[in-house]
Amino acid sequence: MNIAFIGLGNMGGKMAHNLLKAGLKVHGFDLSEVAIAHFTEAGGITHANPQAAAEQADVVITMLPAAKHVKEVYLGENGVLAVLKKGSLCIDSSTIDPQTIKDIAVVGAEQGIQVCDAPVSGGTIGAQAGTLTFMVGTDLNTFEQVQSVLKPMGKNIVHCGEVGAGQIAKICNNLILGISMAAVAEGMALGAKLGIDPQALAGVINSSSGRCWSSEVCNPWPGISANAPAGRGYSDGFATQLMLKDLGLAIEAAGQVKQPVLLGGLVQQLYQQLCMQGNAQLDFSSIIQQYLAKEA
Ligand code: NAD
């Protein structure tokens, strides 16, 4: 099986590396020379543009920043759909809006090419370890093939429904995550201000009804959750700007179907403020800083 991997950045570079480690032949393209250098060093075969990388491919995987890059790589001047052979499979793992991948899938289907979405959770650590969760949107027959391609990169490969369903699952999960992190930050900061020991408070929350991933695994108060970004100055986590991007996608999708996302809109503003204060690269649990401002 020949694989073309387009978008070899923080996530894609590590994912492609795991395919190479599994003994697969991987052709790649990225706009960044640094990304290309790492890919070549790991044994990847580099090409001058997406079409050249995809020409011999049976499978194309894309891991790109946003919808405009995904459209460009599939449908643009050097777009891969124009050169792929009938029967090929395309898997987009970028986090984008559900409609874009559905539109691209329609163009693919006209040419006998299956296009599906498989956004991920697990971050750069999961990408490196090959333990990502993939949320896949495709028909059940194609899912089997998708599973076998994604296996070297993921621990959980979940079928969410038809094309676009993977993105829906991803943005709804991150909408909840963004809200729950802000809720835990608010509760932890209030407790500390009222005088309870944060360790004691977290202990109660984590054995009570307030318990969630944000309170237990990634508590925003430093020193509560082992290995959480809060314990290392909020570095090396899920960047606030990526959370902001995902909230924007959820709110945009909600607007398309006229569905209210009241809390989503509120926390979007909170994370926006955090980014404007120069914290865009910090883990999103640094939202707690909005509640800990020093008094005058
Ligand atoms: P990144 O910016 O590190 O990597 C994206 C890569 O795409 C870059 O190397 C860039 O040069 C390349 N690129 C952009 N346009 C291109 C084009 N037209 N052709 C070829 N290459 C192009 O981003 P990332 O952190 O790897 O994230 C990728 C996607 O995964 C995003 O959609 C992000 O939301 C999602 N995601 C990221 C994380 C994370 O923790 N970083 C977690 C889950 C999901």
Side-chain angles (χ1 to χ4, degrees):
M1 179 170 58
N2 261 320
I3 298 182
F5 207 117
I6 320 285
L8 302 160
N10 289 326
M11 295 291 291
K14 295 176 178 65
M15 292 161 70
H17 199 166
N18 281 326
L19 292 173
L20 289 163
K21 277 203 286 192
L24 292 155
K25 203 171 190 181
V26 187
H27 299 257
F29 174 70
D30 195 292
L31 295 175
S32 150
E33 280 177 21
V34 177
I36 287 290
H38 285 140
F39 177 66
T40 313
E41 207 174 297
I45 307 154
T46 308
H47 293 268
N49 57 54
Q51 280 191 348
E55 241 155 15
Q56 304 301 322
D58 310 293
V59 176
V60 172
I61 302 172
T62 44
M63 193 53 168
L64 296 156
K68 66 174 181 185
H69 310 99
V70 176
K71 274 187 220 158
E72 173 73 25
V73 164
Y74 283 98
L75 308 171
E77 201 183 327
N78 278 306
V80 298
L81 288 187
V83 296
L84 282 170
K85 48 187 181 267
K86 213 173 168 178
S88 326
L89 172 68
C90 299
I91 306 171
D92 178 44
S93 282
S94 327
T95 304
I96 61 168
D97 63 290
Q99 193 55 48
T100 294
I101 198 65
K102 285 191 204 176
D103 294 344
I104 295 172
V106 169
V107 180
E110 283 163 5
Q111 294 165 224
I113 299 164
Q114 285 279 355
V115 178
C116 63
D117 51 324
V120 301
S121 81
T124 51
I125 294 170
Q128 180 140 23
T131 56
L132 291 169
T133 291
F134 286 91
M135 297 159 243
V136 183
T138 190
D139 60 74
L140 268 178
N141 289 338
T142 311
F143 179 61
E144 263 186 42
Q145 198 191 345
V146 172
Q147 255 182 322
S148 67
V149 173
L150 299 180
K151 216 168 176 188
M153 303 181 285
K155 192 172 64 173
N156 301 311
I157 302 164
V158 185
H159 184 242
C160 297
E162 292 297 317
V163 180
Q167 294 296 353
I168 295 171
K170 167 80 186 173
I171 61 179
C172 292
N173 179 70
N174 280 17
L175 171 70
I176 295 169
L177 178 62
I179 295 167
S180 70
M181 182 58 80
V184 172
E186 196 164 298
M188 290 299 299
L190 173 64
K193 194 79 175 269
L194 291 172
I196 190 174
D197 173 13
Q199 283 286 359
L201 176 58
V204 171
I205 294 169
N206 288 332
S207 54
S208 306
S209 46
R211 176 181 169 198
C212 59
W213 185 88
S214 301
S215 68
E216 197 170 30
V217 180
C218 192
N219 197 294
W221 195 277
I224 304 276
S225 311
N227 305 320
R232 48 174 187 271
Y234 302 98
S235 63
D236 296 332
F238 183 50
T240 301
Q241 69 173 16
L242 287 179
M243 173 50 82
L244 190 59
K245 171 194 164 188
D246 293 358
L247 286 169
L249 290 171
I251 290 164
E252 183 194 328
Q256 286 164 4
V257 292
K258 300 189 173 31
Q259 175 70 16
V261 275
L262 306 175
L263 297 178
L266 195 59
V267 295
Q268 184 190 36
Q269 297 300 313
L270 277 173
Y271 290 109
Q272 178 70 72
Q273 204 172 19
L274 195 60
C275 286
M276 282 176 66
Q277 290 162 351
N279 298 321
Q281 298 305 326
L282 293 187
D283 182 70
F284 75 116
S285 62
S286 62
I287 191 76
I288 199 165
Q289 288 174 5
Q290 300 301 312
Y291 295 97
L292 301 177
K294 290 200 171 53
E295 285 171 22

